[in-house]
Amino acid sequence: MLTKLVHHKDALQPTRFINDAAFDWHYPERIQQLSRRHWTPMSVTRKAAAFLSNVPGKKVLDIGSGVGKFCLVAAQHYPHATFYGVEQRKELHRLALTTRDAMGIHNADFIHGNFTQIDLGEYDNFYFYNSFFENLDNNDRIDHQIEYSSSLYVYYSRYLFKALDSRPSGTRLVTFHSSENEVPPSFQVVDTSHDYQLKMWIKR
Ligand SMILES: C[S@@+](CC[C@H](N)C(=O)[O-])C[C@H]1O[C@@H](n2cnc3c(N)ncnc32)[C@H](O)[C@@H]1O
């Protein structure tokens, strides 16, 4: 299932994966089945992470990191940045950590909790795959372990809007399938995918 090991400047790099199925195979079957709907495809991650790790040493936060697929794929392709994820579901957070360790990835880390509980000021750039939409959508939910409500959707979107608006000029954001309710007008679109689902933003 794996591609060959890659040598780069004498250092052995963590294994890269040939496609989404090969990557997803590292998770339990239930998690694999959620992948198409809930975890970022590798081709999207590569584009998003290239934009977010434009300068070496950047700290990138995935807001709602699930089982860590975005962060782990990004970390493999962009070893000079560090990718962090914050995830509210304990089981998904635990799977992100065990998969990271099994893959030997050193530039990714995961925090368990609600994104409203952490200091977003510690990160340079942000990735957001429509994490709050589960509060509005009755279909294809990850599980039934948490409370869903439209008021939570509004609360989280406004919270992120304000937090992003207070970030310094030059902050980069990538949204995927977003309704953009959480993106303040101080962020300008600088690039999009052909279908407009993936958007790259920079704060003025
Ligand atoms: C669509 S999935 C994306 C996962 C990951 N970013 C990826 O692309 O592979 C969204 C995730 O956000 C998490 N999430 C939703 N609201 C959250 C919140 N307020 N704080 C932390 N995590 C949250 C959900 O539990 C879910 O795992």
Side-chain angles (χ1 to χ4, degrees):
M1 295 294 260
L2 308 181
T3 54
K4 63 183 166 49
L5 288 167
V6 179
H7 293 271
H8 175 68
K9 289 186 180 167
D10 301 320
L12 198 57
Q13 297 297 299
T15 311
R16 291 188 183 182
F17 297 88
I18 51 171
N19 58 33
D20 284 288
F23 187 92
D24 295 344
W25 180 80
H26 285 76
Y27 294 99
E29 199 174 328
R30 188 182 85 79
I31 300 296
Q32 293 177 37
Q33 283 166 1
L34 293 170
S35 186
R36 255 178 82 86
R37 171 74 175 81
H38 293 283
W39 322 135
T40 304
M42 284 171 53
S43 57
V44 171
T45 295
R46 282 197 294 271
K47 285 183 203 141
F51 178 75
L52 295 171
S53 63
N54 59 319
V55 174
K58 288 287 176 193
K59 292 173 77 174
V60 177
L61 179 70
D62 179 7
I63 299 163
S65 47
V67 290
K69 184 171 177 182
F70 171 81
C71 288
L72 295 175
V73 172
Q76 286 177 320
H77 283 86
Y78 300 96
H80 302 298
T82 308
F83 295 87
Y84 298 86
V86 58
E87 171 54 48
Q88 63 182 349
R89 289 180 165 92
K90 195 172 183 163
E91 180 208 357
L92 305 189
H93 168 256
R94 186 184 52 77
L95 281 167
L97 285 177
T98 51
T99 308
R100 175 198 67 180
D101 294 344
M103 291 179 176
I105 292 171
H106 301 293
N107 58 325
D109 207 358
F110 298 98
I111 303 149
H112 174 233
N114 199 296
F115 87 101
T116 56
Q117 295 164 339
I118 67 167
D119 181 4
L120 298 181
E122 286 186 13
Y123 305 93
D124 301 304
N125 295 329
F126 301 90
Y127 177 71
F128 184 71
Y129 178 7
N130 210 15
S131 298
F132 314 143
F133 186 67
E134 64 179 3
N135 286 290
L136 303 180
D137 182 20
N138 294 329
N139 304 312
D140 300 326
R141 282 179 163 157
I142 291 175
D143 58 33
H144 300 281
Q145 309 286 317
I146 61 165
E147 181 194 341
Y148 299 103
S149 74
S150 52
S151 48
L152 266 181
Y153 175 85
V154 172
Y155 171 66
Y156 290 151
S157 300
R158 285 191 185 155
Y159 189 102
L160 185 55
F161 181 104
K162 283 187 193 155
L164 289 172
D165 209 24
S166 70
R167 302 309 306 136
S169 168
T171 298
R172 291 180 170 218
L173 167 71
V174 173
T175 56
F176 185 46
H177 285 275
S178 166
S179 55
E180 299 173 20
N181 288 325
E182 65 290 328
V183 183
S186 53
F187 279 75
Q188 269 186 324
V189 176
V190 294
D191 202 2
T192 71
S193 56
H194 292 306
D195 62 2
Y196 298 103
Q197 297 300 350
L198 182 69
K199 292 191 179 175
M200 280 66 159
W201 311 77
I202 298 183
K203 188 165 190 281
R204 282 193 298 251

